[in-house]
Amino acid sequence: MPVTYRFDREFSLIRTMCTGDVTFAEVVSHFRELERDATLPARLDVLLDLTEMRSVPESDQLRSVAREVEHLQQRLEWGSCAIVASSDVLYGMSRILRVYAEAHFVNSNVFRELEEAERWLASHRSPATR
């Protein structure tokens, strides 16, 4: 599966991993799956790991992803979002995604290393989940 996720319920965190050649249809399918998931907590932080992703999204697809994030706000409150991308092109595209989606998150940032993103998320958790 090119787009997979798992919840860390203790910290209200979703870890989404994109691997290989990810299509836009697969990304939209991921959001539909989240929309149907009755176990989603009321508030959710995001760790989006693109370190194993090979495909590169187009700018208009990133705008659509931001709209999907906004659509899910009908069901949940987004907390912090950390995006991890090691390649230069995906790092740059992730920064564009951050701009498109930043209004929907309490805060967001883009990183090159997973450990750095995890530390940042831990420092931005709400007091209830620290």
Side-chain angles (χ1 to χ4, degrees):
M1 294 287 299
V3 182
T4 58
Y5 69 94
R6 63 184 164 86
F7 289 119
D8 181 337
R9 297 206 185 282
E10 179 182 359
F11 297 112
S12 293
L13 174 69
I14 184 172
R15 293 173 179 271
T16 302
M17 288 77 57
C18 296
T19 56
D21 293 317
V22 178
T23 67
F24 182 66
E26 291 164 333
V27 172
V28 171
S29 177
H30 165 69
F31 280 102
R32 294 295 82 78
E33 187 175 351
L34 290 178
E35 193 172 39
R36 291 186 302 270
D37 191 333
T39 67
L40 281 179
R43 184 179 189 280
L44 199 58
D45 290 335
V46 177
L47 177 59
L48 177 57
D49 184 351
L50 307 179
T51 57
E52 300 296 321
M53 187 168 150
R54 289 191 307 262
S55 54
V56 177
E58 297 175 13
S59 181
D60 63 326
Q61 292 172 332
L62 297 177
R63 285 184 195 275
S64 294
V65 167
R67 284 192 294 273
E68 294 291 340
V69 168
E70 179 181 25
H71 177 73
L72 273 176
Q73 277 185 298
Q74 297 171 15
R75 281 204 60 213
L76 61 89
E77 174 188 350
W78 294 112
S80 298
C81 177
I83 306 170
V84 185
S86 51
S87 77
D88 289 344
V89 67
L90 284 175
Y91 183 83
M93 296 306 283
S94 296
R95 290 174 54 103
I96 292 169
L97 175 59
R98 177 184 178 217
V99 169
Y100 290 159
E102 70 184 342
H104 310 300
F105 293 99
V106 173
N107 48 53
S108 59
N109 212 337
V110 180
F111 303 90
R112 291 200 181 259
E113 299 290 331
L114 185 59
E115 295 79 18
E116 183 182 6
E118 289 173 333
R119 281 192 304 273
W120 181 84
L121 275 172
S123 73
H124 286 83
R125 281 194 189 107
S126 65
T129 58
R130 279 193 187 153

